């Protein structure tokens, strides 16, 4: 039976939806959440000074300076507003705009350093020359635009002083937004913009990933107010761009660079090319003047006269827009227009190459950030001068502390029973798992022809030996001899194997504990198919291993896989000594449940796909090592988790409450026989406000993550704290939770529950199936997994088999 106070908790949430005054009061408190108290008490670690990727920003007169905001309306709206405003400034700066150089956000806001000579005015902007017009407008018949500017507000920069004092308000946020737009004018005009970052082949070395793809160096920037003053945060990044190659070369690389194009494409090849080319900009070979946007790929004859000899008449044509008309162009007369980001999902080989480029040691990343600032020449930026902004070209240094690592506890039967990680790393040499799982029945299926039968058998034997050496019970012999199957017959192979195994085990009252699956290195959707079939159709825990690892049989790889298998089978690899001895901060004094939440969005180019939210919660106390997970499908790019709380009308019971939070609380009670007295909720994005008040003591945190490379810091915001935690003790707890992941023997860059939530939300994409319109937030209970593989577009999640719902197979 759930407690009355749990019921009150959900009723409380529901009432806030209908009480505007109370909700506003909660919102104001939520926005003003104070940082946990800083004091010498509870502060641990070694003090040091570190450099940040921030640069000090100075304003000419913070107290007296005012920025003027104007609403912008451009008609007709054809998607080139920034180019139209740029032409307006060129024509009217010294006359109609009173000598002001405005900053434009590309949408509806325009900022000036002083008032314009009007409150509202309409300008006629003529893009009279095709040669002088922006590339995006050259295919348009429209050349005349009306721009209406209307005064909206005066923004005093004095509000930033209050913000720096920890009191944010609407004015301070508006001031930061205006300054951010001003400082983005220069990179917007100079570089290629994609997903909030700016890229150029001139910002660093271009690395070739394959014949048609290359990586460009880029950066993102954001102005922020801190206790040390205004700062410009700059981070470097890398992204993949398509080289300006002939379309047929791009197509050949997509399929197979040795493929013959002088034949009709099969349906699979056609759909793959269609998906890759839709939305791209192309040009006709020898005529770089006109750019065409690809709308579709069709099996029709070309409708545009081209003076080329067609070599591949069986290939489809590109359906493109030109001067408002639709024309068809043969693939081989077109080339990819320069400067286009590759928005489709990368294969494993290209992703590995990109990650290799993106990873940088601290000194190299430090150098690249400084080079970016020097190359941008902010001191010469006319917009920065217009608004009296100066930027120092040296990295800001701040005080920091190196938090100590926690002691880890292993089984007493090992040579080493307790261990203090050095530099966040440890291994399982001379150690035993604190709680070894059991694998009494297992089988193996091999989907890779390059792995011979004897190699697969030897790998399984060595893996079982490693599991036993690490502290697990693992049967020496499989239930069945090795099964060899074709990747194209994955469903029938898995079902047949399971039927054959159960014919042996069912009379004994047993089941198959583990299925080892050997996959080709480049397996496409095979991984996702295996997980979907095993976990939603049959009910099997599986461990997938790539052929390259099977053939090498590296002992470190075997040890890593053994850790994952142990967690999947209900075991624990290690626990914190402080947790075992009831010394874990904010967990020791009362039964505590720790949540982690994450929302994953579709891969670029999958605009119609669903987003998937995952929420995991600890199921043991005080160890805080075992987690259960729930997933929820929701609208594309929806950040708020819609399935956290639900209200349902029951014909017999009346209005009832439910959702993922309630299910986790009940699951915690079933697992521990205790009602949680405290909730700690970690989330990698903003949290839905209606969940920020409960009768239980709650701490909610937002994590902000940064790019690959140099050790990735996490920026924590405390959104709500009913515990009055001290900063030091909470930092200690958060640091310790980074040492509790069951997937590796090192501290990870996020707390384990958020790490699990990420794995779970990515894993769930293997399960998605088409759903009916209007079904927005169905959720199902399952623990998460590792690798991700997009399986389908939009839809609901099929239920996980009941016998798997208690297993941590997300490891």
């Amino acid at each position: 039976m759930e407690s009355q106070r749990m019921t009150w908790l959900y009723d409380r949430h529901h009432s806030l939806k209908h009480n505007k005054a109370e909700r506003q009061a909660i919102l104001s408190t939520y926005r003003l959440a104070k940082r946990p108290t800083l004091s010498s008490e509870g502060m641990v670690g070694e003090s040091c000074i570190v450099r940040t990727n921030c640069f000090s920003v100075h304003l000419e007169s913070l107290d007296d300076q005012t920025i003027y905001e104007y609403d912008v309306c451009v008609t007709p709206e054809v998607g080139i507003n920034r180019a139209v405003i740029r032409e307006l400034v060129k024509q009217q700066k010294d006359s109609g705009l009173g000598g002001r150089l405005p900053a434009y956000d590309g949408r509806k806001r325009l900022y000036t350093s002083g008032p314009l000579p009007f409150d509202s005015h309409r300008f006629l902007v003529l893009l009279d020359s095709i040669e002088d017009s922006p590339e995006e407008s050259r295919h348009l018949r429209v050349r005349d635009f009306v721009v209406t500017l209307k005064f909206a507000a005066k923004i005093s920069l004095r509000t930033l002083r209050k913000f720096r004092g920890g009191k944010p308000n609407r004015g301070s946020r508006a001031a930061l937004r205006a300054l951010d737009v001003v400082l983005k004018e220069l990179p917007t005009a100079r570089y290629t913009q994609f997903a909030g970052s700016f890229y150029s082949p001139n910002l660093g070395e271009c690395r070739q990933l394959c014949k048609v793809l290359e990586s460009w160096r880029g950066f993102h920037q954001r102005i922020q107010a801190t206790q040390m003053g205004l700062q410009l945060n700059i981070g470097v990044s890398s992204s993949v761009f398509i080289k300006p190659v002939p379309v047929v070369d791009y197509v050949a690389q997509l399929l197979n660079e040795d493929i013959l194009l002088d034949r009709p494409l099969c349906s699979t090849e056609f759909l793959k090319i269609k998906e890759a080319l839709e939305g791209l900009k192309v040009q006709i070979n020898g005529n770089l003047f006109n750019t065409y946007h690809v709308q579709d790929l069709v099996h029709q004859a070309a409708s545009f006269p081209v003076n080329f000899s067609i070599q591949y008449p069986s290939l489809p044509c590109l359906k493109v827009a030109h001067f408002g008309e639709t024309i068809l162009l043969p693939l081989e007369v077109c080339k990819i227009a320069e400067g286009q980001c590759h928005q489709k999902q990368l294969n494993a080989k290209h992703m590995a190459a990109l990650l290799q480029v993106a990873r940088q040691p601290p000194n190299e990343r430090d150098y690249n950030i400084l080079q970016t600032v020097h190359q941008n020449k902010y001191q010469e930026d006319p917009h920065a001068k217009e608004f009296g902004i100066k930027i120092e070209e040296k990295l800001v240094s701040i005080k920091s502390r190196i938090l100590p690592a926690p002691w880890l506890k292993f089984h007493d039967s090992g040579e080493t029973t307790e261990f203090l990680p050095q530099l966040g790393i440890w291994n399982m040499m001379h150690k035993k798992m604190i709680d070894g799982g059991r694998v009494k029945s297992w089988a193996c299926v091999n989907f890779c022809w390059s792995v011979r039968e004897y190699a697969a058998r030897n790998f399984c034997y060595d893996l079982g030996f490693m599991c036993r050496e690490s502290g697990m019970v693992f049967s020496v012999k499989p239930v069945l001899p090795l099964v060899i199957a074709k990747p194209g017959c994955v469903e029938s192979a898995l079902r047949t194997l399971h039927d054959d195994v159960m014919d042996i085990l069912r009379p004994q009252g047993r089941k198959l504990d583990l299925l080892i699956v050997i996959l080709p290195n480049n397996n496409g959707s095979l991984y996702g198919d295996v997980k979907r079939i095993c976990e939603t159709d049959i009910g099997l825990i599986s461990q997938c291993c790539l052929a390259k690892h099977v053939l090498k049989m590296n002992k470190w790889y075997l040890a890593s896989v053994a850790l994952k298998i142990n967690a999947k089978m209900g075991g624990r690899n290690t626990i914190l000594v402080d947790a075992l001895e009831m010394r874990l901060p904010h967990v020791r004094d009362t039964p505590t449940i720790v949540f982690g939440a994450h929302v994953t969005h579709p891969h670029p180019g999958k605009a119609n796909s669903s987003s998937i939210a995952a929420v995991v919660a600890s199921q043991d106390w005080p160890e805080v090592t075992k987690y259960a997970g729930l997933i929820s499908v929701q609208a594309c790019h929806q950040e708020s988790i819609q399935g956290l709380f639900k209200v349902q009308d029951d014909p017999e019971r009346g209005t009832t409450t439910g959702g993922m939070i309630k299910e986790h609380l009940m699951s915690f009670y079933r697992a521990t026989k205790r009602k949680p007295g405290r909730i700690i909720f970690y989330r990698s994005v903003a949290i839905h406000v209606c969940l920020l008040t409960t009768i239980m003591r709650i701490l909610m945190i937002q994590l902000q993550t940064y790019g690959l490379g140099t050790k990735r810091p996490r920026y924590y915001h405390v959104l709500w704290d009913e515990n009055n935690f001290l900063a030091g003790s909470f930092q200690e707890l958060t640091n310790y939770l980074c040492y509790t992941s069951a997937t590796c023997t090192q501290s990870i860059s996020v707390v384990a529950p958020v790490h699990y939530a990420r794995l779970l939300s990515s894993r769930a994409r293997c399960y998605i199936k088409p759903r009916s319109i209007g079904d927005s937030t169905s959720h199902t209970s399952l623990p998460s997994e590792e690798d991700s593989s997009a399986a389908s577009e939009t839809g609901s999640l099929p239920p996980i088999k009941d016998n798997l719902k208690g297993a941590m197979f997300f490891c």
Side-chain angles (χ1 to χ4, degrees), residues 713-735:
R714 276 354 187 227
Y715 189 38
Y716 292 82
H717 283 292
V718 176
L719 301 183
W720 187 268
D721 181 12
E722 297 177 346
N723 304 270
N724 297 319
F725 284 163
L726 296 176
S729 57
F730 173 66
Q731 291 167 358
E732 186 178 12
L733 170 65
T734 300
N735 177 49

Tab-separated table of all heavy atoms in Angstrom, residues 713-735:
chain	number	residue	atom	x	y	z
A	713	PRO	N	33.873	19.003	-18.221
A	713	PRO	CA	33.265	19.454	-16.976
A	713	PRO	C	31.747	19.407	-17.066
A	713	PRO	O	31.176	19.448	-18.146
A	713	PRO	CB	33.761	20.893	-16.842
A	713	PRO	CG	33.930	21.347	-18.251
A	713	PRO	CD	34.362	20.122	-19.032
A	714	ARG	N	31.105	19.333	-15.910
A	714	ARG	CA	29.655	19.399	-15.837
A	714	ARG	C	29.275	20.600	-14.992
A	714	ARG	O	29.848	20.812	-13.915
A	714	ARG	CB	29.081	18.130	-15.206
A	714	ARG	CG	28.854	16.929	-16.123
A	714	ARG	CD	29.080	17.162	-17.547
A	714	ARG	NE	28.709	16.064	-18.413
A	714	ARG	CZ	29.505	15.625	-19.378
A	714	ARG	NH1	30.679	16.141	-19.556
A	714	ARG	NH2	29.093	14.676	-20.186
A	715	TYR	N	28.333	21.363	-15.471
A	715	TYR	CA	27.911	22.585	-14.792
A	715	TYR	C	26.569	22.316	-14.139
A	715	TYR	O	25.589	22.048	-14.811
A	715	TYR	CB	27.812	23.719	-15.811
A	715	TYR	CG	27.582	25.081	-15.210
A	715	TYR	CD1	28.189	25.447	-14.020
A	715	TYR	CD2	26.764	25.999	-15.850
A	715	TYR	CE1	27.988	26.697	-13.485
A	715	TYR	CE2	26.554	27.262	-15.314
A	715	TYR	CZ	27.172	27.601	-14.125
A	715	TYR	OH	26.968	28.838	-13.594
A	716	TYR	N	26.515	22.362	-12.809
A	716	TYR	CA	25.314	21.993	-12.077
A	716	TYR	C	24.560	23.228	-11.593
A	716	TYR	O	25.157	24.133	-11.003
A	716	TYR	CB	25.668	21.132	-10.856
A	716	TYR	CG	26.207	19.777	-11.197
A	716	TYR	CD1	27.549	19.597	-11.524
A	716	TYR	CD2	25.383	18.663	-11.200
A	716	TYR	CE1	28.052	18.346	-11.840
A	716	TYR	CE2	25.867	17.410	-11.507
A	716	TYR	CZ	27.206	17.258	-11.822
A	716	TYR	OH	27.688	16.018	-12.135
A	717	HIS	N	23.263	23.262	-11.845
A	717	HIS	CA	22.374	24.284	-11.288
A	717	HIS	C	21.457	23.596	-10.288
A	717	HIS	O	20.801	22.608	-10.624
A	717	HIS	CB	21.509	24.918	-12.380
A	717	HIS	CG	22.218	25.910	-13.224
A	717	HIS	ND1	22.655	27.118	-12.745
A	717	HIS	CD2	22.580	25.863	-14.532
A	717	HIS	CE1	23.249	27.787	-13.718
A	717	HIS	NE2	23.218	27.049	-14.802
A	718	VAL	N	21.394	24.088	-9.079
A	718	VAL	CA	20.415	23.585	-8.109
A	718	VAL	C	19.109	24.332	-8.347
A	718	VAL	O	19.030	25.543	-8.188
A	718	VAL	CB	20.895	23.802	-6.663
A	718	VAL	CG1	19.805	23.354	-5.687
A	718	VAL	CG2	22.184	23.022	-6.418
A	719	LEU	N	18.087	23.608	-8.756
A	719	LEU	CA	16.808	24.220	-9.084
A	719	LEU	C	15.877	24.305	-7.868
A	719	LEU	O	15.094	25.236	-7.746
A	719	LEU	CB	16.122	23.440	-10.204
A	719	LEU	CG	16.911	23.329	-11.515
A	719	LEU	CD1	16.068	22.603	-12.540
A	719	LEU	CD2	17.334	24.691	-12.026
A	720	TRP	N	15.972	23.298	-7.018
A	720	TRP	CA	15.049	23.256	-5.877
A	720	TRP	C	15.704	22.446	-4.767
A	720	TRP	O	16.205	21.354	-5.006
A	720	TRP	CB	13.733	22.600	-6.308
A	720	TRP	CG	12.657	22.655	-5.257
A	720	TRP	CD1	12.370	21.727	-4.294
A	720	TRP	CD2	11.729	23.716	-5.068
A	720	TRP	NE1	11.317	22.135	-3.530
A	720	TRP	CE2	10.899	23.361	-3.978
A	720	TRP	CE3	11.516	24.927	-5.711
A	720	TRP	CZ2	9.868	24.171	-3.511
A	720	TRP	CZ3	10.487	25.744	-5.256
A	720	TRP	CH2	9.680	25.363	-4.170
A	721	ASP	N	15.728	22.989	-3.566
A	721	ASP	CA	16.383	22.310	-2.452
A	721	ASP	C	15.611	22.546	-1.172
A	721	ASP	O	15.605	23.646	-0.631
A	721	ASP	CB	17.825	22.818	-2.316
A	721	ASP	CG	18.569	22.136	-1.180
A	721	ASP	OD1	18.058	21.129	-0.648
A	721	ASP	OD2	19.661	22.615	-0.828
A	722	GLU	N	14.946	21.503	-0.677
A	722	GLU	CA	14.231	21.580	0.583
A	722	GLU	C	15.076	21.057	1.739
A	722	GLU	O	14.595	20.918	2.848
A	722	GLU	CB	12.927	20.775	0.491
A	722	GLU	CG	11.958	21.323	-0.538
A	722	GLU	CD	10.698	20.475	-0.665
A	722	GLU	OE1	10.697	19.337	-0.150
A	722	GLU	OE2	9.726	20.951	-1.276
A	723	ASN	N	16.355	20.745	1.437
A	723	ASN	CA	17.220	20.132	2.436
A	723	ASN	C	18.230	21.104	3.029
A	723	ASN	O	18.884	20.785	4.016
A	723	ASN	CB	17.998	18.982	1.803
A	723	ASN	CG	17.095	17.963	1.159
A	723	ASN	OD1	16.677	17.022	1.806
A	723	ASN	ND2	16.788	18.143	-0.117
A	724	ASN	N	18.385	22.280	2.384
A	724	ASN	CA	19.413	23.233	2.794
A	724	ASN	C	20.792	22.580	2.811
A	724	ASN	O	21.570	22.708	3.766
A	724	ASN	CB	19.091	23.822	4.174
A	724	ASN	CG	17.798	24.613	4.175
A	724	ASN	OD1	17.530	25.354	3.234
A	724	ASN	ND2	16.996	24.437	5.210
A	725	PHE	N	21.092	21.876	1.714
A	725	PHE	CA	22.378	21.208	1.603
A	725	PHE	C	23.524	22.218	1.586
A	725	PHE	O	23.394	23.320	1.053
A	725	PHE	CB	22.448	20.401	0.298
A	725	PHE	CG	21.663	19.125	0.331
A	725	PHE	CD1	21.340	18.483	-0.852
A	725	PHE	CD2	21.264	18.552	1.525
A	725	PHE	CE1	20.624	17.301	-0.847
A	725	PHE	CE2	20.545	17.371	1.541
A	725	PHE	CZ	20.226	16.744	0.353
A	726	LEU	N	24.644	21.831	2.139
A	726	LEU	CA	25.868	22.598	1.972
A	726	LEU	C	26.485	22.255	0.632
A	726	LEU	O	26.414	21.107	0.180
A	726	LEU	CB	26.855	22.285	3.093
A	726	LEU	CG	26.426	22.670	4.521
A	726	LEU	CD1	27.471	22.190	5.519
A	726	LEU	CD2	26.224	24.173	4.623
A	727	ALA	N	27.103	23.237	-0.018
A	727	ALA	CA	27.678	23.001	-1.341
A	727	ALA	C	28.731	21.904	-1.301
A	727	ALA	O	28.781	21.029	-2.162
A	727	ALA	CB	28.276	24.296	-1.886
A	728	GLY	N	29.576	21.930	-0.268
A	728	GLY	CA	30.669	20.962	-0.209
A	728	GLY	C	30.195	19.530	-0.126
A	728	GLY	O	30.677	18.659	-0.846
A	729	SER	N	29.230	19.255	0.754
A	729	SER	CA	28.755	17.887	0.917
A	729	SER	C	27.985	17.405	-0.304
A	729	SER	O	28.065	16.227	-0.679
A	729	SER	CB	27.877	17.775	2.174
A	729	SER	OG	26.790	18.683	2.105
A	730	PHE	N	27.251	18.320	-0.957
A	730	PHE	CA	26.547	17.895	-2.160
A	730	PHE	C	27.523	17.630	-3.299
A	730	PHE	O	27.363	16.692	-4.086
A	730	PHE	CB	25.523	18.937	-2.585
A	730	PHE	CG	24.907	18.605	-3.911
A	730	PHE	CD1	24.117	17.486	-4.051
A	730	PHE	CD2	25.177	19.373	-5.026
A	730	PHE	CE1	23.586	17.139	-5.281
A	730	PHE	CE2	24.650	19.036	-6.253
A	730	PHE	CZ	23.856	17.923	-6.382
A	731	GLN	N	28.552	18.461	-3.424
A	731	GLN	CA	29.575	18.204	-4.436
A	731	GLN	C	30.248	16.861	-4.194
A	731	GLN	O	30.563	16.120	-5.139
A	731	GLN	CB	30.611	19.333	-4.421
A	731	GLN	CG	30.063	20.663	-4.926
A	731	GLN	CD	30.989	21.817	-4.619
A	731	GLN	OE1	32.039	21.652	-3.997
A	731	GLN	NE2	30.598	23.013	-5.043
A	732	GLU	N	30.464	16.533	-2.936
A	732	GLU	CA	31.085	15.253	-2.601
A	732	GLU	C	30.207	14.083	-3.032
A	732	GLU	O	30.678	13.108	-3.623
A	732	GLU	CB	31.351	15.193	-1.097
A	732	GLU	CG	32.129	13.977	-0.655
A	732	GLU	CD	32.410	13.987	0.838
A	732	GLU	OE1	31.807	14.822	1.545
A	732	GLU	OE2	33.220	13.152	1.292
A	733	LEU	N	28.905	14.173	-2.756
A	733	LEU	CA	27.980	13.118	-3.179
A	733	LEU	C	27.972	12.984	-4.695
A	733	LEU	O	28.046	11.866	-5.235
A	733	LEU	CB	26.570	13.435	-2.673
A	733	LEU	CG	25.454	12.550	-3.246
A	733	LEU	CD1	25.625	11.103	-2.809
A	733	LEU	CD2	24.083	13.078	-2.849
A	734	THR	N	27.876	14.107	-5.393
A	734	THR	CA	27.824	14.077	-6.855
A	734	THR	C	29.096	13.463	-7.434
A	734	THR	O	29.047	12.659	-8.369
A	734	THR	CB	27.616	15.503	-7.397
A	734	THR	OG1	26.391	16.029	-6.879
A	734	THR	CG2	27.547	15.504	-8.910
A	735	ASN	N	30.233	13.825	-6.870
A	735	ASN	CA	31.495	13.250	-7.313
A	735	ASN	C	31.522	11.741	-7.085
A	735	ASN	O	31.929	10.966	-7.956
A	735	ASN	CB	32.647	13.925	-6.566
A	735	ASN	CG	33.993	13.339	-6.925
A	735	ASN	OD1	34.328	13.172	-8.091
A	735	ASN	ND2	34.777	13.008	-5.907
